[in-house]
Amino acid sequence: MAKHERGEAQSVARSGWAFAAVIGLGLAARAVYLDRLPGVNGDEAWSGVNVFEQLRGQPTFARTPTGNLLNPFYNHALLAASWLAGRPSFAALRSVALAAGVAAVALAYPLLRAPLGRRGALYATALIAASPQLIAYSRFGWDTCESGLVTLLALAAAMRQLPAHTALALLVALFVHPTNVFLTPVLAAAFHPTLAPAWAAMPR
């Protein structure tokens, strides 16, 4: 019996190290060579120029080239990061995206622990950390870069059966980018009467 328990403990420890490695590598993939890989793209350059014109007190654009209103959460955070940098910098330009990406990984477990249990929340955290799309969103200074974080907030609120919090998170998501409207049916489905009991019955 003791041998079986030792083997089970070793298996749990190995799993813990594996999860830690996946999450650690996911965080590293978001941050390494942020100032030069990949090369800056047109949308990032547009945001950077627009922000530095704001800092100089010059007229700036209130909408993106596609006609969307500027994401206020991204724009104000980028203003602060650019002001702190003091000069144009690719790292500062992408710092908001990096912060949002790291926050999504850091908050996934505590936000999802209640509805999904320890195991489900840990798997979700690892998937978020290793997601190629979310890694890319952490490395590009786009106004959509906060979509992963606000999606997590909205889903966590919905799975906790908190309608007011879910509605607020969805509103924030729409300010981040209008295409986040497609979260609406997913969030609505979370309130289906059969789902909450199913989550409650999951192993913890």
Side-chain angles (χ1 to χ4, degrees):
M1 185 69 175
K3 184 177 180 180
H4 172 73
E5 289 176 351
R6 280 199 304 273
E8 188 172 313
Q10 289 172 350
S11 176
V12 170
R14 283 195 297 270
S15 297
W17 281 110
F19 276 112
V22 168
I23 293 168
L25 288 171
L27 292 172
R30 286 162 166 78
V32 173
Y33 300 127
L34 187 68
D35 61 337
R36 56 185 180 274
L37 287 177
V40 69
N41 60 63
D43 286 349
E44 289 182 293
W46 184 90
S47 294
V49 170
N50 203 44
V51 159
F52 267 95
E53 289 297 291
Q54 284 180 271
L55 291 173
R56 293 172 55 208
Q58 299 299 312
T60 56
F61 294 103
R63 293 179 178 271
T64 67
T66 56
N68 294 328
L69 288 171
L70 288 179
N71 169 5
F73 307 103
Y74 173 72
N75 193 64
H76 286 87
L78 185 57
L79 270 171
S82 300
W83 179 79
L84 288 171
R87 60 182 178 82
S89 160
F90 287 168
L93 188 60
R94 292 169 170 170
S95 62
V96 179
L98 175 63
V102 171
V105 176
L107 293 174
Y109 185 86
L111 287 176
L112 298 175
R113 166 69 178 82
L116 297 182
R118 289 192 298 267
R119 179 174 295 183
L122 191 57
Y123 274 103
T125 302
L127 288 170
I128 289 170
S131 165
Q133 182 177 2
L134 293 179
I135 289 172
Y137 266 35
S138 300
R139 299 187 66 90
F140 285 113
W142 293 338
D143 58 343
T144 56
C145 67
E146 296 162 328
S147 288
L149 175 59
V150 295
T151 296
L152 170 66
L153 297 175
L155 286 173
M159 287 190 288
R160 287 167 175 259
Q161 305 293 288
L162 300 170
H165 293 75
T166 303
L168 178 60
L170 178 59
L171 180 62
V172 171
L174 293 175
F175 275 108
V176 168
H177 201 270
T179 55
N180 286 324
V181 69
F182 294 110
L183 280 172
T184 305
V186 178
L187 299 177
F191 289 94
H192 192 279
T194 63
L195 287 182
W199 285 322
M202 289 178 69
R204 292 301 191 256

